[in-house]
Amino acid sequence: MRSGNALVLFSGGQDSTTCLAWALSHFAHVETIGFDYGQRHHIELQARHAVLEAVRAQFPQWRDKLGDDHMLDLGVLGRISDTALTSETEIQMTAAGLPNTFVPGRNLLFFQLAAAVGYRRGLHTLVGGMCETDFSGYPDCRDDTLKALQVATSLGMGQRFTFETPLMWIDKADTWEMAHALGGDALVDIVLEQSHTCYHGVRGERHAWGYGCGTCPACALRKAGFERWTASKAP
């Protein structure tokens, strides 16, 4: 257990749900923050509430630690972006070598605004689910980017902020394992039933690994990680 408070960048997806459990296991008080930026998979904002309710209901040891949830309207980010996450565009690779699901500046803006909220509320540890092991190559998910941003944020705010990224160096199979280690089958079930990852916002069919279209990059990573994790646990 670490002393102090944390603010989790919480989308309602698999990674941020696991990071929420990690923060609740490590800090005395945890708050959450989400962003409505006109994302195509807007259903993730509903998943946020479902996950938070399930965590409060099924983990009494975390209930009193889990504080306020904050939602910020970042519609301007969607309006200035031309990406497959903010418009009905086919997901594909771009000439820059990145998938067109990359929303330029998204994580940079998320951390800066989270820090502004944290400054006001005394939350100086910001927790995010960024990872550069199983990921789509987004430059704002990289460890070097976030370390540099942590320094700039601390200097610019005049207070020391710490950015925690518990998933940075593990793959999706290990993320499933971390969820199980933190909260057992109950937490894995919350990830399966309540969290949302699919870029297309599909929740019609329940797969072994949860809900989603099964073909977008986010679903592909989640599915492959779940299959590797379950295979590693098989007799």
Side-chain angles (χ1 to χ4, degrees), residues 11-69:
S11 69
Q14 174 188 1
D15 292 347
S16 66
T17 298
T18 305
C19 286
L20 174 61
W22 180 88
L24 289 166
S25 298
H26 286 80
F27 293 92
H29 177 77
V30 176
E31 299 186 16
T32 49
I33 187 167
F35 306 94
D36 182 352
Y37 58 96
Q39 55 266 56
R40 181 176 178 177
H41 51 308
H42 198 264
I43 196 168
E44 73 175 3
L45 301 184
Q46 299 174 30
R48 296 178 76 257
H49 297 295
V51 170
L52 291 173
E53 289 177 5
V55 168
R56 286 191 173 98
Q58 298 186 43
F59 293 92
Q61 72 273 30
W62 292 343
R63 186 181 304 133
D64 292 338
K65 293 184 178 185
L66 185 52
D68 291 344
D69 179 43

Side-chain angles (χ1 to χ4, degrees), residues 3-234:
S3 62
N5 309 323
L7 180 60
V8 178
L9 280 65
F10 182 61
S11 69
Q14 174 188 1
D15 292 347
S16 66
T17 298
T18 305
C19 286
L20 174 61
W22 180 88
L24 289 166
S25 298
H26 286 80
F27 293 92
H29 177 77
V30 176
E31 299 186 16
T32 49
I33 187 167
F35 306 94
D36 182 352
Y37 58 96
Q39 55 266 56
R40 181 176 178 177
H41 51 308
H42 198 264
I43 196 168
E44 73 175 3
L45 301 184
Q46 299 174 30
R48 296 178 76 257
H49 297 295
V51 170
L52 291 173
E53 289 177 5
V55 168
R56 286 191 173 98
Q58 298 186 43
F59 293 92
Q61 72 273 30
W62 292 343
R63 186 181 304 133
D64 292 338
K65 293 184 178 185
L66 185 52
D68 291 344
D69 179 43
H70 311 274
M71 174 61 66
L72 299 187
D73 182 357
L74 289 187
V76 63
L77 182 60
R79 291 193 292 274
I80 65 174
S81 300
D82 181 20
T83 76
L85 285 197
T86 53
S87 62
E88 294 293 329
T89 304
E90 182 182 355
I91 297 175
Q92 57 188 2
M93 295 297 293
T94 68
L98 289 170
N100 63 350
T101 51
F102 173 56
V103 182
R106 181 178 61 165
N107 287 336
L108 306 180
L109 187 57
F110 285 2
F111 269 104
Q112 292 296 287
L113 291 172
V117 172
Y119 182 99
R120 175 171 56 89
R121 298 183 64 82
L123 306 166
H124 293 110
T125 299
L126 308 182
V127 182
M130 296 74 190
C131 165
E132 65 169 282
T133 304
D134 272 353
F135 80 136
S136 297
Y138 300 162
D140 59 357
C141 287
R142 293 174 182 155
D143 188 55
D144 284 349
T145 301
L146 298 180
K147 284 179 177 175
L149 187 62
Q150 174 183 282
V151 172
T153 299
S154 297
L155 290 172
M157 295 284 185
Q159 296 182 3
R160 179 172 175 78
F161 281 83
T162 300
F163 293 2
E164 293 280 5
T165 52
L167 311 183
M168 181 58 70
W169 304 115
I170 66 175
D171 62 19
K172 280 293 185 289
D174 290 330
T175 301
W176 285 104
E177 178 58 30
M178 179 183 287
H180 190 266
L182 290 167
D185 291 342
L187 184 60
V188 171
D189 286 344
I190 290 174
V191 175
L192 288 170
E193 298 295 338
Q194 308 297 346
S195 75
H196 182 84
T197 301
C198 176
Y199 284 158
H200 290 138
V202 173
R203 289 193 69 83
E205 181 180 355
R206 167 63 156 81
H207 306 274
W209 43 268
Y211 292 91
C213 68
T215 58
C216 74
C219 283
L221 284 173
R222 177 167 170 157
K223 174 184 178 183
F226 183 79
E227 290 176 347
R228 291 198 308 273
W229 177 62
T230 52
S232 71
K233 299 179 75 65

